Amino acid sequence: MTTSETGLDRVLGAKTGEALESSLGLSTVGDLLRHYPRRYAERGELTAIAGLELDEHVTVLAKVDRVSKRSMRSRRGTIVEARITDGHRSLTCTFFNQAWRERELLPGRQGMFAGKVTAYRGSFQLSHPEYQLFDSDDPDQAGSAVEEFAGALIPVYPSAQGLPSWSLARCVRQVLDTWDGADDPLPEELRAEHRLLGLETALRKIHRPKDHAEVAAAQNRLKWDEALAVQLVLARLRESAHENPAPACPRREDGLLADFDGRLPFQLTAGQAEIGTEIAADLAAEQPMNRLVQGEVGSGKTVVALRGMLQVVDAGRQAAMLAPTEVLAAQHARSLAELLGDLSTAGELGAPERATRITLLTGSLPAAARKKALLEAASGEAGIVVGTHALIQDRVSFADLGLVVVDEQHRFGVEQRDALRARGGSESAPHVLVMTATPIPRTVAMTVYGDLETSALRELPSGRSPISTSVVPVAEKPAWLDRAWQRVREEVAAGHQVYVVCPRIGDDEQNPPKKGKKKPRTDDGVEEPEDAGAGTDERRPPLAVLDVAERLSTGPLSGLRLGVLHGRLAADDKDAVMRAFAAGELDVLVATTVVEVGVNVPNATVMVIMDADRFGVSQLHQLRGRVGRGSAPGLCLLVSEAMAGTSTRDRLDAVASTTDGFELARLDLELRREGDVLGAAQSGRRSGLKMLSLLRDEDVIAEARDAAQRYVADDPSLRAHPGLARMVGEVVDEGRAGYLEKS
């Protein structure tokens, strides 16, 4: 029998099984059957070449436009170049020392071409692609009698080097021919209610459909599997949350919070006031608050969090604030102290009657300072403790922890948040407030943060300056980069400061080329690739802080005061650099994304992001939020070699076109793999969301949420529905299930 648990090596042979596991992480029949086609090519409809990405492994259905052969100049051998087209744009396929390809790749022939997209002389190409040609006389038959192209719809699979889409199709066909099917985990009444295909039928049709209607029906069923599995986990979480008591912290009208509100030099925005009321009610309850506050960069989340912390302190308990980096933790401690003024000086001479103490606790504190901070947390002397993951270590304890504020949740493993919860000093669980500057579409919040109440701060406080963003396309217009550095000098001359952000720190990460080895050159003097498998300029490594800082200090920004900031600096050095920049002692700060969140220097007006295409949409949006925080307008320059017409360039243009973080969040989700959404803490190759789109399938998610709630309310352990319990484990793998259960 061939079941879903059968190893692929037993069905397809050891060599193929090993290739599938090493390249794509597929080891069982079930793994392969859930490796769904990315899309379906139709005979006669060519694949759009525009939008292909550098370094992407692609399969395209295209027509041979022309083919040429030439001799290499510096060594013996030939190069065959075949230009393939979709009718609008072209792509070059290059072959070394394979002259016979010229006789096979005849103009007008159609076929499937698979390989890695690389760049050569500013144009995209496939070097030594694998291909299957259709017969030129009979387009309804596959070339070389390849059976996998016999259908009207040709499944195109996510593939890898050495495993083109048609090889995967052949493997799937072989598996389906021997597969004995699987028990359906969905209850029959649920399938009937929503008119869903059976699981076996859906899996067969998704791989071997007769038409688009069969594809749609199969996709709908498989989306339900994914949506329901995740929603069952979240429904269990919500059910269990009601069983845990929490410290009730009702608001006092004559406490520290009231004093703080009375001193505020500005008026809260309507959003801050509304969310503050929600948080106050949550904290007063005896069930743990689990609330996510999302808001634009600069929307005032820190003030919202501080007011919640003060309410907890008024109730005689403590609050802890977790930040993702030491730089941000120190920044938060300073910001909270500045906001509170002398209300943060409890225990000091002249402190007000109602005051508290803010303690900073990070992993790199000197021994004496660390011991003092630990004592203040354990004794309750510190009402507010700010720190990094150091707060989670076993030696850290609290007298009575009432509230945990987690800043930038996506930067923490949930195990860390869970561990901090356990340090509460009492039997009750602390309230939890999660803050993120990354706006989250409703469907993502409903899926990923399904156990949290969500609040959104959309309104920016008055006085924030506008930020304009421009793309600097250095591949097409190299002079624009020179102008960007001139613009930086102009801004510094006007008394302002500038960030330059790079994706990498830089050291000896790249091995230098061996001495004495020269690359052969083409007729034009351009270096010829040494090996027949290359044929392109490999994508260079990301730009590094250390390299860029040196280049700028001796080149376009010579004479300016440059500082360097990255995660490998000692904590004291990082703090010293940030203090120097904040004090205006540095003109330009060359940094990694350590400045992405929380860093507040109102005099910084320009941010230059090098290799901007290496960052995500939301990350770019957060980074540019570091400028325009004062009275002068902000400018963000996205420097990239991405070529016009690619989706990478479209993404950068979209960031430049709007400062609406919620609109960009939707775009970011559209461009990312759906499976990445369920948590960066997840490791491993398996992806829980392969079919479900968190943007396009809102109805399925909402219906699955209702169904999950019903099943869990009636049967929390799902004992009466073993299929559903099994599906949770199959679709939501162990790592992600653990992530969700601890959120």
Side-chain angles (χ1 to χ4, degrees), residues 105-270:
L105 293 166
L106 299 175
R109 296 195 71 178
Q110 288 187 15
M112 303 284 281
F113 299 81
K116 185 179 179 182
V117 180
T118 50
Y120 186 56
R121 297 184 187 174
S123 299
F124 281 170
Q125 72 171 21
L126 302 179
S127 184
H128 278 273
E130 299 177 79
Y131 60 83
Q132 292 276 8
L133 294 174
F134 303 154
D135 188 274
S136 57
D137 298 323
D138 185 1
D140 291 329
Q141 298 297 319
S144 305
V146 180
E147 188 181 334
E148 53 266 25
F149 292 144
L153 294 182
I154 303 170
V156 180
Y157 291 90
S159 52
Q161 190 69 41
L163 279 172
S165 176
W166 53 85
S167 292
L168 287 165
R170 190 182 304 128
C171 292
V172 169
R173 189 180 67 252
Q174 224 173 310
V175 162
L176 286 176
D177 287 345
T178 60
W179 184 46
D180 292 305
D183 293 334
D184 200 316
L186 295 194
E188 190 175 340
E189 70 274 7
L190 184 67
R191 297 202 308 270
E193 180 184 354
H194 296 283
R195 299 180 179 178
L196 301 176
L197 295 178
L199 178 60
E200 180 180 350
T201 303
L203 286 172
R204 291 187 183 278
K205 288 184 184 297
I206 200 70
H207 293 290
R208 304 175 77 176
K210 293 178 182 176
D211 51 38
H212 286 292
E214 288 196 351
V215 172
Q219 287 178 339
N220 186 49
R221 162 58 207 258
L222 297 171
K223 287 174 182 179
W224 257 91
D225 281 15
E226 296 175 5
L228 186 59
V230 175
Q231 293 302 331
L232 283 167
V233 174
L234 296 173
R236 282 170 158 180
L237 277 172
R238 289 190 293 271
E239 194 74 19
S240 63
H242 296 299
E243 301 169 5
N244 299 320
C249 303
R251 177 165 181 171
R252 284 176 48 188
E253 296 303 324
D254 59 345
L256 187 56
L257 174 56
D259 286 356
F260 172 72
D261 283 347
R263 295 183 177 197
L264 271 179
F266 53 84
Q267 188 170 355
L268 295 175
T269 66

Side-chain angles (χ1 to χ4, degrees), residues 69 147 179 245 288 297 350 352 390 401 410 424 426 507 556 569 641 724 731:
K69 181 178 69 176
E147 188 181 334
W179 184 46
V297 173
L401 185 60
H410 65 285
S426 66
D507 44 26
L569 289 175
E641 294 177 355
L724 294 180
V731 180

Side-chain angles (χ1 to χ4, degrees), residues 326-328 330 334 362 364-366 546 562-582 585-586 589-591 594-595:
E326 292 195 348
V327 169
L328 187 53
R334 282 197 296 271
T362 60
S364 58
L365 280 177
L546 301 179
L562 266 68
V564 169
L565 182 67
H566 56 75
R568 283 203 211 124
L569 289 175
D572 289 346
D573 294 337
K574 282 188 280 193
D575 200 46
V577 172
M578 269 316 304
R579 283 180 179 274
F581 190 63
E585 296 165 9
L586 295 173
L589 184 63
V590 186
V594 73
V595 298

Side-chain angles (χ1 to χ4, degrees), residues 252-263 310 313-316 340-348 350-357:
R252 284 176 48 188
E253 296 303 324
D254 59 345
L256 187 56
L257 174 56
D259 286 356
F260 172 72
D261 283 347
R263 295 183 177 197
L310 294 179
V313 171
D314 277 340
L340 284 173
D342 61 358
L343 294 177
S344 67
T345 59
E348 297 178 20
E353 178 186 351
R354 287 188 291 268
T356 189
R357 172 170 293 187

Side-chain angles (χ1 to χ4, degrees), residues 267-296:
Q267 188 170 355
L268 295 175
T269 66
Q272 286 175 318
E274 180 182 346
I275 293 174
T277 301
E278 292 171 349
I279 291 172
D282 288 346
L283 293 174
E286 293 184 356
Q287 292 176 346
M289 173 178 73
N290 285 286
R291 183 170 292 276
L292 170 72
V293 174
Q294 53 174 320
E296 291 280 14

Side-chain angles (χ1 to χ4, degrees), residues 290-459:
N290 285 286
R291 183 170 292 276
L292 170 72
V293 174
Q294 53 174 320
E296 291 280 14
V297 173
S299 59
K301 296 183 297 297
T302 303
V303 171
V304 168
L306 177 56
R307 295 182 72 243
M309 289 191 277
L310 294 179
Q311 180 171 330
V312 168
V313 171
D314 277 340
R317 295 182 168 87
Q318 294 167 285
M321 187 174 198
L322 246 67
T325 66
E326 292 195 348
V327 169
L328 187 53
Q331 174 88 29
H332 272 317
R334 282 197 296 271
S335 298
L336 295 177
E338 289 168 6
L339 284 167
L340 284 173
D342 61 358
L343 294 177
S344 67
T345 59
E348 297 178 20
L349 192 63
E353 178 186 351
R354 287 188 291 268
T356 189
R357 172 170 293 187
I358 298 171
T359 292
L360 176 66
L361 180 55
T362 60
S364 58
L365 280 177
R370 180 173 172 75
K371 185 176 180 181
K372 181 173 182 289
L374 286 168
L375 186 61
E376 289 176 351
S379 66
E381 189 178 345
I384 298 173
V385 181
V386 182
T388 58
H389 60 276
L391 290 183
I392 301 152
Q393 296 175 357
D394 290 335
R395 291 181 58 197
V396 180
S397 60
F398 295 85
D400 192 352
L401 185 60
L403 171 65
V404 177
V405 178
V406 183
D407 190 23
E408 293 308 324
Q409 156 72 8
H410 65 285
R411 291 177 172 266
F412 282 92
V414 186
E415 291 80 3
Q416 293 171 309
R417 192 173 113 196
D418 197 47
L420 187 57
R421 248 186 196 144
R423 307 263 184 274
S426 66
E427 292 183 4
S428 57
H431 300 283
V432 175
L433 178 66
V434 175
M435 300 194 301
T436 179
T438 306
I440 301 169
R442 175 178 174 269
T443 43
V444 181
M446 189 163 64
T447 304
V448 183
Y449 298 101
D451 62 323
L452 304 182
E453 297 295 326
T454 58
S455 304
L457 280 169
R458 289 179 172 266
E459 184 183 356

